[in-house]
Amino acid sequence: MNIKLEQISIDEKPILSNLMQLCFHDYSEFNDEDVGPYGLFNYKYLDYYWTEPERFAYFVKIDGKLAGFALGRQSRPENGERINILSEFFILRKYRRKGIGMKVAHRLFAKYPGKWSVVQEADNFPAQAFWRKVIDEYTKGNFTETQGEKGPLQEFESLKR
């Protein structure tokens, strides 16, 4: 199984938008979001991934087939230290529970060395379990978890591997 992270070009934005509908459909079980008047979920930050240089967007591909995506951004708080923030992460159901999400997350962490912040929604217990396991394995237990504004928040340091 060949797993790749491929940067998403502006021309591929419609493809990402389509995949995001599947992602937000899954999330709606936990965040109580509804579709808009056209039957679609809204993601107000989509265009920013091509207009703000601190954002990054990748497709996950398995043997050349679309299998998900990862979105994030780099923030600089008042102290000036860069923090990598995972904004959205989605793996199609067909590819879940096979270790793919973990491998993809680990590659993404290594691609952006430094501090990382990963938050999950308060009621999304499957995501919380997934991220605790992924981050614990990646850091060998060297991470902190606090209760953020939206739910659990894990913070850790990533090294280029």
PDB file of all heavy atoms in Angstrom, residues 16-44:
ATOM      1  N   LEU A  16     -11.248  19.178  -3.177  1.00  0.00           N
ATOM      2  CA  LEU A  16     -11.188  19.293  -1.721  1.00  0.00           C
ATOM      3  C   LEU A  16     -12.544  19.676  -1.154  1.00  0.00           C
ATOM      4  O   LEU A  16     -12.998  19.095  -0.162  1.00  0.00           O
ATOM      5  CB  LEU A  16     -10.135  20.327  -1.296  1.00  0.00           C
ATOM      6  CG  LEU A  16     -10.064  20.615   0.202  1.00  0.00           C
ATOM      7  CD1 LEU A  16      -9.720  19.361   0.997  1.00  0.00           C
ATOM      8  CD2 LEU A  16      -9.063  21.729   0.487  1.00  0.00           C
ATOM      9  N   SER A  17     -13.216  20.610  -1.788  1.00  0.00           N
ATOM     10  CA  SER A  17     -14.540  21.029  -1.325  1.00  0.00           C
ATOM     11  C   SER A  17     -15.510  19.851  -1.293  1.00  0.00           C
ATOM     12  O   SER A  17     -16.296  19.699  -0.346  1.00  0.00           O
ATOM     13  CB  SER A  17     -15.067  22.142  -2.235  1.00  0.00           C
ATOM     14  OG  SER A  17     -16.310  22.605  -1.772  1.00  0.00           O
ATOM     15  N   ASN A  18     -15.449  18.997  -2.313  1.00  0.00           N
ATOM     16  CA  ASN A  18     -16.316  17.815  -2.340  1.00  0.00           C
ATOM     17  C   ASN A  18     -15.983  16.861  -1.190  1.00  0.00           C
ATOM     18  O   ASN A  18     -16.880  16.362  -0.511  1.00  0.00           O
ATOM     19  CB  ASN A  18     -16.176  17.081  -3.676  1.00  0.00           C
ATOM     20  CG  ASN A  18     -16.773  17.845  -4.826  1.00  0.00           C
ATOM     21  OD1 ASN A  18     -17.582  18.751  -4.647  1.00  0.00           O
ATOM     22  ND2 ASN A  18     -16.350  17.501  -6.028  1.00  0.00           N
ATOM     23  N   LEU A  19     -14.696  16.609  -0.981  1.00  0.00           N
ATOM     24  CA  LEU A  19     -14.295  15.720   0.122  1.00  0.00           C
ATOM     25  C   LEU A  19     -14.693  16.303   1.478  1.00  0.00           C
ATOM     26  O   LEU A  19     -15.042  15.562   2.399  1.00  0.00           O
ATOM     27  CB  LEU A  19     -12.792  15.470   0.087  1.00  0.00           C
ATOM     28  CG  LEU A  19     -12.283  14.446  -0.907  1.00  0.00           C
ATOM     29  CD1 LEU A  19     -10.764  14.376  -0.863  1.00  0.00           C
ATOM     30  CD2 LEU A  19     -12.878  13.077  -0.649  1.00  0.00           C
ATOM     31  N   MET A  20     -14.643  17.623   1.579  1.00  0.00           N
ATOM     32  CA  MET A  20     -15.008  18.256   2.845  1.00  0.00           C
ATOM     33  C   MET A  20     -16.477  18.004   3.196  1.00  0.00           C
ATOM     34  O   MET A  20     -16.830  17.921   4.371  1.00  0.00           O
ATOM     35  CB  MET A  20     -14.711  19.754   2.805  1.00  0.00           C
ATOM     36  CG  MET A  20     -13.223  20.030   2.771  1.00  0.00           C
ATOM     37  SD  MET A  20     -12.849  21.771   2.860  1.00  0.00           S
ATOM     38  CE  MET A  20     -12.582  21.882   4.620  1.00  0.00           C
ATOM     39  N   GLN A  21     -17.313  17.856   2.203  1.00  0.00           N
ATOM     40  CA  GLN A  21     -18.720  17.564   2.475  1.00  0.00           C
ATOM     41  C   GLN A  21     -18.851  16.214   3.183  1.00  0.00           C
ATOM     42  O   GLN A  21     -19.642  16.058   4.117  1.00  0.00           O
ATOM     43  CB  GLN A  21     -19.540  17.579   1.185  1.00  0.00           C
ATOM     44  CG  GLN A  21     -19.653  18.951   0.558  1.00  0.00           C
ATOM     45  CD  GLN A  21     -20.264  19.970   1.501  1.00  0.00           C
ATOM     46  OE1 GLN A  21     -21.345  19.762   2.054  1.00  0.00           O
ATOM     47  NE2 GLN A  21     -19.561  21.076   1.706  1.00  0.00           N
ATOM     48  N   LEU A  22     -18.058  15.245   2.756  1.00  0.00           N
ATOM     49  CA  LEU A  22     -18.073  13.932   3.418  1.00  0.00           C
ATOM     50  C   LEU A  22     -17.547  14.050   4.843  1.00  0.00           C
ATOM     51  O   LEU A  22     -18.108  13.467   5.775  1.00  0.00           O
ATOM     52  CB  LEU A  22     -17.222  12.936   2.618  1.00  0.00           C
ATOM     53  CG  LEU A  22     -17.652  12.693   1.179  1.00  0.00           C
ATOM     54  CD1 LEU A  22     -16.632  11.830   0.459  1.00  0.00           C
ATOM     55  CD2 LEU A  22     -19.034  12.073   1.134  1.00  0.00           C
ATOM     56  N   CYS A  23     -16.495  14.821   4.993  1.00  0.00           N
ATOM     57  CA  CYS A  23     -15.896  15.041   6.314  1.00  0.00           C
ATOM     58  C   CYS A  23     -16.899  15.698   7.266  1.00  0.00           C
ATOM     59  O   CYS A  23     -17.114  15.223   8.384  1.00  0.00           O
ATOM     60  CB  CYS A  23     -14.655  15.917   6.156  1.00  0.00           C
ATOM     61  SG  CYS A  23     -13.875  16.428   7.689  1.00  0.00           S
ATOM     62  N   PHE A  24     -17.493  16.779   6.821  1.00  0.00           N
ATOM     63  CA  PHE A  24     -18.416  17.510   7.701  1.00  0.00           C
ATOM     64  C   PHE A  24     -19.700  16.734   7.956  1.00  0.00           C
ATOM     65  O   PHE A  24     -20.338  16.907   8.995  1.00  0.00           O
ATOM     66  CB  PHE A  24     -18.689  18.907   7.153  1.00  0.00           C
ATOM     67  CG  PHE A  24     -17.461  19.782   7.169  1.00  0.00           C
ATOM     68  CD1 PHE A  24     -17.265  20.727   6.193  1.00  0.00           C
ATOM     69  CD2 PHE A  24     -16.485  19.628   8.144  1.00  0.00           C
ATOM     70  CE1 PHE A  24     -16.127  21.521   6.189  1.00  0.00           C
ATOM     71  CE2 PHE A  24     -15.350  20.411   8.154  1.00  0.00           C
ATOM     72  CZ  PHE A  24     -15.165  21.365   7.178  1.00  0.00           C
ATOM     73  N   HIS A  25     -20.077  15.880   7.020  1.00  0.00           N
ATOM     74  CA  HIS A  25     -21.201  14.975   7.273  1.00  0.00           C
ATOM     75  C   HIS A  25     -20.861  14.074   8.463  1.00  0.00           C
ATOM     76  O   HIS A  25     -21.664  13.884   9.372  1.00  0.00           O
ATOM     77  CB  HIS A  25     -21.508  14.144   6.027  1.00  0.00           C
ATOM     78  CG  HIS A  25     -22.527  13.084   6.272  1.00  0.00           C
ATOM     79  ND1 HIS A  25     -22.177  11.781   6.558  1.00  0.00           N
ATOM     80  CD2 HIS A  25     -23.872  13.142   6.303  1.00  0.00           C
ATOM     81  CE1 HIS A  25     -23.279  11.078   6.743  1.00  0.00           C
ATOM     82  NE2 HIS A  25     -24.318  11.878   6.599  1.00  0.00           N
ATOM     83  N   ASP A  26     -19.646  13.521   8.462  1.00  0.00           N
ATOM     84  CA  ASP A  26     -19.211  12.688   9.593  1.00  0.00           C
ATOM     85  C   ASP A  26     -19.179  13.502  10.883  1.00  0.00           C
ATOM     86  O   ASP A  26     -19.627  13.042  11.930  1.00  0.00           O
ATOM     87  CB  ASP A  26     -17.821  12.103   9.338  1.00  0.00           C
ATOM     88  CG  ASP A  26     -17.836  10.901   8.409  1.00  0.00           C
ATOM     89  OD1 ASP A  26     -18.923  10.522   7.914  1.00  0.00           O
ATOM     90  OD2 ASP A  26     -16.750  10.345   8.176  1.00  0.00           O
ATOM     91  N   TYR A  27     -18.632  14.709  10.834  1.00  0.00           N
ATOM     92  CA  TYR A  27     -18.531  15.567  12.026  1.00  0.00           C
ATOM     93  C   TYR A  27     -19.901  15.939  12.588  1.00  0.00           C
ATOM     94  O   TYR A  27     -20.040  16.160  13.790  1.00  0.00           O
ATOM     95  CB  TYR A  27     -17.817  16.876  11.702  1.00  0.00           C
ATOM     96  CG  TYR A  27     -16.336  16.832  11.491  1.00  0.00           C
ATOM     97  CD1 TYR A  27     -15.666  17.995  11.125  1.00  0.00           C
ATOM     98  CD2 TYR A  27     -15.578  15.672  11.634  1.00  0.00           C
ATOM     99  CE1 TYR A  27     -14.300  18.006  10.911  1.00  0.00           C
ATOM    100  CE2 TYR A  27     -14.217  15.678  11.416  1.00  0.00           C
ATOM    101  CZ  TYR A  27     -13.579  16.847  11.056  1.00  0.00           C
ATOM    102  OH  TYR A  27     -12.231  16.865  10.845  1.00  0.00           O
ATOM    103  N   SER A  28     -20.903  16.060  11.713  1.00  0.00           N
ATOM    104  CA  SER A  28     -22.209  16.568  12.159  1.00  0.00           C
ATOM    105  C   SER A  28     -22.835  15.696  13.246  1.00  0.00           C
ATOM    106  O   SER A  28     -23.681  16.158  14.003  1.00  0.00           O
ATOM    107  CB  SER A  28     -23.167  16.720  10.973  1.00  0.00           C
ATOM    108  OG  SER A  28     -23.562  15.465  10.458  1.00  0.00           O
ATOM    109  N   GLU A  29     -22.409  14.462  13.335  1.00  0.00           N
ATOM    110  CA  GLU A  29     -22.873  13.571  14.407  1.00  0.00           C
ATOM    111  C   GLU A  29     -22.444  14.100  15.773  1.00  0.00           C
ATOM    112  O   GLU A  29     -23.096  13.851  16.779  1.00  0.00           O
ATOM    113  CB  GLU A  29     -22.289  12.180  14.171  1.00  0.00           C
ATOM    114  CG  GLU A  29     -22.624  11.170  15.232  1.00  0.00           C
ATOM    115  CD  GLU A  29     -21.993   9.820  14.963  1.00  0.00           C
ATOM    116  OE1 GLU A  29     -21.352   9.615  13.907  1.00  0.00           O
ATOM    117  OE2 GLU A  29     -22.146   8.941  15.830  1.00  0.00           O
ATOM    118  N   PHE A  30     -21.341  14.851  15.808  1.00  0.00           N
ATOM    119  CA  PHE A  30     -20.766  15.302  17.060  1.00  0.00           C
ATOM    120  C   PHE A  30     -20.932  16.793  17.324  1.00  0.00           C
ATOM    121  O   PHE A  30     -20.887  17.225  18.464  1.00  0.00           O
ATOM    122  CB  PHE A  30     -19.263  14.957  17.100  1.00  0.00           C
ATOM    123  CG  PHE A  30     -19.007  13.509  16.831  1.00  0.00           C
ATOM    124  CD1 PHE A  30     -18.475  13.093  15.631  1.00  0.00           C
ATOM    125  CD2 PHE A  30     -19.337  12.552  17.787  1.00  0.00           C
ATOM    126  CE1 PHE A  30     -18.252  11.744  15.372  1.00  0.00           C
ATOM    127  CE2 PHE A  30     -19.121  11.205  17.537  1.00  0.00           C
ATOM    128  CZ  PHE A  30     -18.580  10.801  16.331  1.00  0.00           C
ATOM    129  N   ASN A  31     -21.077  17.600  16.272  1.00  0.00           N
ATOM    130  CA  ASN A  31     -21.131  19.050  16.494  1.00  0.00           C
ATOM    131  C   ASN A  31     -22.488  19.675  16.208  1.00  0.00           C
ATOM    132  O   ASN A  31     -22.653  20.874  16.302  1.00  0.00           O
ATOM    133  CB  ASN A  31     -20.038  19.754  15.685  1.00  0.00           C
ATOM    134  CG  ASN A  31     -20.240  19.618  14.189  1.00  0.00           C
ATOM    135  OD1 ASN A  31     -21.308  19.256  13.705  1.00  0.00           O
ATOM    136  ND2 ASN A  31     -19.189  19.907  13.440  1.00  0.00           N
ATOM    137  N   ASP A  32     -23.449  18.880  15.804  1.00  0.00           N
ATOM    138  CA  ASP A  32     -24.819  19.344  15.597  1.00  0.00           C
ATOM    139  C   ASP A  32     -24.944  20.389  14.482  1.00  0.00           C
ATOM    140  O   ASP A  32     -25.873  21.168  14.471  1.00  0.00           O
ATOM    141  CB  ASP A  32     -25.399  19.873  16.909  1.00  0.00           C
ATOM    142  CG  ASP A  32     -26.916  19.831  16.926  1.00  0.00           C
ATOM    143  OD1 ASP A  32     -27.495  18.917  16.306  1.00  0.00           O
ATOM    144  OD2 ASP A  32     -27.531  20.730  17.541  1.00  0.00           O
ATOM    145  N   GLU A  33     -23.979  20.421  13.559  1.00  0.00           N
ATOM    146  CA  GLU A  33     -24.058  21.365  12.434  1.00  0.00           C
ATOM    147  C   GLU A  33     -25.086  20.880  11.421  1.00  0.00           C
ATOM    148  O   GLU A  33     -25.277  19.683  11.232  1.00  0.00           O
ATOM    149  CB  GLU A  33     -22.695  21.503  11.747  1.00  0.00           C
ATOM    150  CG  GLU A  33     -21.649  22.204  12.575  1.00  0.00           C
ATOM    151  CD  GLU A  33     -21.906  23.674  12.762  1.00  0.00           C
ATOM    152  OE1 GLU A  33     -22.379  24.341  11.815  1.00  0.00           O
ATOM    153  OE2 GLU A  33     -21.643  24.168  13.873  1.00  0.00           O
ATOM    154  N   ASP A  34     -25.718  21.818  10.758  1.00  0.00           N
ATOM    155  CA  ASP A  34     -26.676  21.518   9.704  1.00  0.00           C
ATOM    156  C   ASP A  34     -26.131  21.984   8.362  1.00  0.00           C
ATOM    157  O   ASP A  34     -25.273  22.870   8.302  1.00  0.00           O
ATOM    158  CB  ASP A  34     -28.009  22.230   9.962  1.00  0.00           C
ATOM    159  CG  ASP A  34     -28.769  21.618  11.119  1.00  0.00           C
ATOM    160  OD1 ASP A  34     -28.918  20.378  11.131  1.00  0.00           O
ATOM    161  OD2 ASP A  34     -29.204  22.369  12.007  1.00  0.00           O
ATOM    162  N   VAL A  35     -26.659  21.404   7.296  1.00  0.00           N
ATOM    163  CA  VAL A  35     -26.316  21.891   5.968  1.00  0.00           C
ATOM    164  C   VAL A  35     -27.036  23.213   5.740  1.00  0.00           C
ATOM    165  O   VAL A  35     -28.034  23.519   6.391  1.00  0.00           O
ATOM    166  CB  VAL A  35     -26.688  20.873   4.863  1.00  0.00           C
ATOM    167  CG1 VAL A  35     -25.861  19.608   4.983  1.00  0.00           C
ATOM    168  CG2 VAL A  35     -28.167  20.554   4.869  1.00  0.00           C
ATOM    169  N   GLY A  36     -26.516  23.990   4.801  1.00  0.00           N
ATOM    170  CA  GLY A  36     -27.134  25.263   4.446  1.00  0.00           C
ATOM    171  C   GLY A  36     -28.305  25.064   3.498  1.00  0.00           C
ATOM    172  O   GLY A  36     -28.712  23.937   3.214  1.00  0.00           O
ATOM    173  N   PRO A  37     -28.830  26.170   2.980  1.00  0.00           N
ATOM    174  CA  PRO A  37     -30.028  26.098   2.135  1.00  0.00           C
ATOM    175  C   PRO A  37     -29.836  25.332   0.827  1.00  0.00           C
ATOM    176  O   PRO A  37     -30.807  24.910   0.216  1.00  0.00           O
ATOM    177  CB  PRO A  37     -30.359  27.568   1.854  1.00  0.00           C
ATOM    178  CG  PRO A  37     -29.128  28.328   2.168  1.00  0.00           C
ATOM    179  CD  PRO A  37     -28.364  27.531   3.174  1.00  0.00           C
ATOM    180  N   TYR A  38     -28.588  25.122   0.407  1.00  0.00           N
ATOM    181  CA  TYR A  38     -28.318  24.374  -0.821  1.00  0.00           C
ATOM    182  C   TYR A  38     -27.921  22.927  -0.542  1.00  0.00           C
ATOM    183  O   TYR A  38     -27.456  22.218  -1.434  1.00  0.00           O
ATOM    184  CB  TYR A  38     -27.240  25.073  -1.653  1.00  0.00           C
ATOM    185  CG  TYR A  38     -27.672  26.452  -2.084  1.00  0.00           C
ATOM    186  CD1 TYR A  38     -27.135  27.576  -1.468  1.00  0.00           C
ATOM    187  CD2 TYR A  38     -28.636  26.633  -3.068  1.00  0.00           C
ATOM    188  CE1 TYR A  38     -27.548  28.850  -1.845  1.00  0.00           C
ATOM    189  CE2 TYR A  38     -29.055  27.888  -3.444  1.00  0.00           C
ATOM    190  CZ  TYR A  38     -28.507  29.000  -2.827  1.00  0.00           C
ATOM    191  OH  TYR A  38     -28.921  30.257  -3.189  1.00  0.00           O
ATOM    192  N   GLY A  39     -28.081  22.502   0.703  1.00  0.00           N
ATOM    193  CA  GLY A  39     -27.779  21.121   1.063  1.00  0.00           C
ATOM    194  C   GLY A  39     -26.303  20.846   1.263  1.00  0.00           C
ATOM    195  O   GLY A  39     -25.883  19.691   1.232  1.00  0.00           O
ATOM    196  N   LEU A  40     -25.517  21.886   1.489  1.00  0.00           N
ATOM    197  CA  LEU A  40     -24.079  21.745   1.664  1.00  0.00           C
ATOM    198  C   LEU A  40     -23.635  22.316   3.012  1.00  0.00           C
ATOM    199  O   LEU A  40     -24.215  23.283   3.504  1.00  0.00           O
ATOM    200  CB  LEU A  40     -23.324  22.473   0.545  1.00  0.00           C
ATOM    201  CG  LEU A  40     -23.584  21.982  -0.879  1.00  0.00           C
ATOM    202  CD1 LEU A  40     -22.951  22.934  -1.886  1.00  0.00           C
ATOM    203  CD2 LEU A  40     -23.056  20.568  -1.058  1.00  0.00           C
ATOM    204  N   PHE A  41     -22.580  21.727   3.551  1.00  0.00           N
ATOM    205  CA  PHE A  41     -21.942  22.284   4.737  1.00  0.00           C
ATOM    206  C   PHE A  41     -21.030  23.421   4.279  1.00  0.00           C
ATOM    207  O   PHE A  41     -20.464  23.378   3.186  1.00  0.00           O
ATOM    208  CB  PHE A  41     -21.109  21.220   5.464  1.00  0.00           C
ATOM    209  CG  PHE A  41     -21.934  20.143   6.093  1.00  0.00           C
ATOM    210  CD1 PHE A  41     -22.155  18.942   5.429  1.00  0.00           C
ATOM    211  CD2 PHE A  41     -22.483  20.316   7.357  1.00  0.00           C
ATOM    212  CE1 PHE A  41     -22.909  17.939   6.009  1.00  0.00           C
ATOM    213  CE2 PHE A  41     -23.247  19.317   7.937  1.00  0.00           C
ATOM    214  CZ  PHE A  41     -23.461  18.128   7.260  1.00  0.00           C
ATOM    215  N   ASN A  42     -20.883  24.425   5.119  1.00  0.00           N
ATOM    216  CA  ASN A  42     -20.044  25.569   4.793  1.00  0.00           C
ATOM    217  C   ASN A  42     -18.709  25.483   5.537  1.00  0.00           C
ATOM    218  O   ASN A  42     -18.675  25.113   6.705  1.00  0.00           O
ATOM    219  CB  ASN A  42     -20.763  26.864   5.192  1.00  0.00           C
ATOM    220  CG  ASN A  42     -19.953  28.093   4.845  1.00  0.00           C
ATOM    221  OD1 ASN A  42     -19.316  28.157   3.798  1.00  0.00           O
ATOM    222  ND2 ASN A  42     -19.966  29.071   5.729  1.00  0.00           N
ATOM    223  N   TYR A  43     -17.639  25.815   4.850  1.00  0.00           N
ATOM    224  CA  TYR A  43     -16.312  25.927   5.470  1.00  0.00           C
ATOM    225  C   TYR A  43     -15.741  27.273   5.047  1.00  0.00           C
ATOM    226  O   TYR A  43     -15.237  27.424   3.938  1.00  0.00           O
ATOM    227  CB  TYR A  43     -15.406  24.773   5.039  1.00  0.00           C
ATOM    228  CG  TYR A  43     -14.072  24.759   5.762  1.00  0.00           C
ATOM    229  CD1 TYR A  43     -14.006  24.487   7.127  1.00  0.00           C
ATOM    230  CD2 TYR A  43     -12.889  25.011   5.093  1.00  0.00           C
ATOM    231  CE1 TYR A  43     -12.792  24.461   7.789  1.00  0.00           C
ATOM    232  CE2 TYR A  43     -11.674  24.984   5.749  1.00  0.00           C
ATOM    233  CZ  TYR A  43     -11.634  24.705   7.105  1.00  0.00           C
ATOM    234  OH  TYR A  43     -10.429  24.691   7.770  1.00  0.00           O
ATOM    235  N   LYS A  44     -15.860  28.231   5.925  1.00  0.00           N
ATOM    236  CA  LYS A  44     -15.529  29.609   5.562  1.00  0.00           C
ATOM    237  C   LYS A  44     -14.042  29.854   5.318  1.00  0.00           C
ATOM    238  O   LYS A  44     -13.668  30.879   4.769  1.00  0.00           O
ATOM    239  CB  LYS A  44     -16.065  30.580   6.616  1.00  0.00           C
ATOM    240  CG  LYS A  44     -15.482  30.420   7.985  1.00  0.00           C
ATOM    241  CD  LYS A  44     -16.134  31.394   8.965  1.00  0.00           C
ATOM    242  CE  LYS A  44     -15.595  31.214  10.361  1.00  0.00           C
ATOM    243  NZ  LYS A  44     -16.242  32.099  11.310  1.00  0.00           N
TER     244      LYS A  44
END
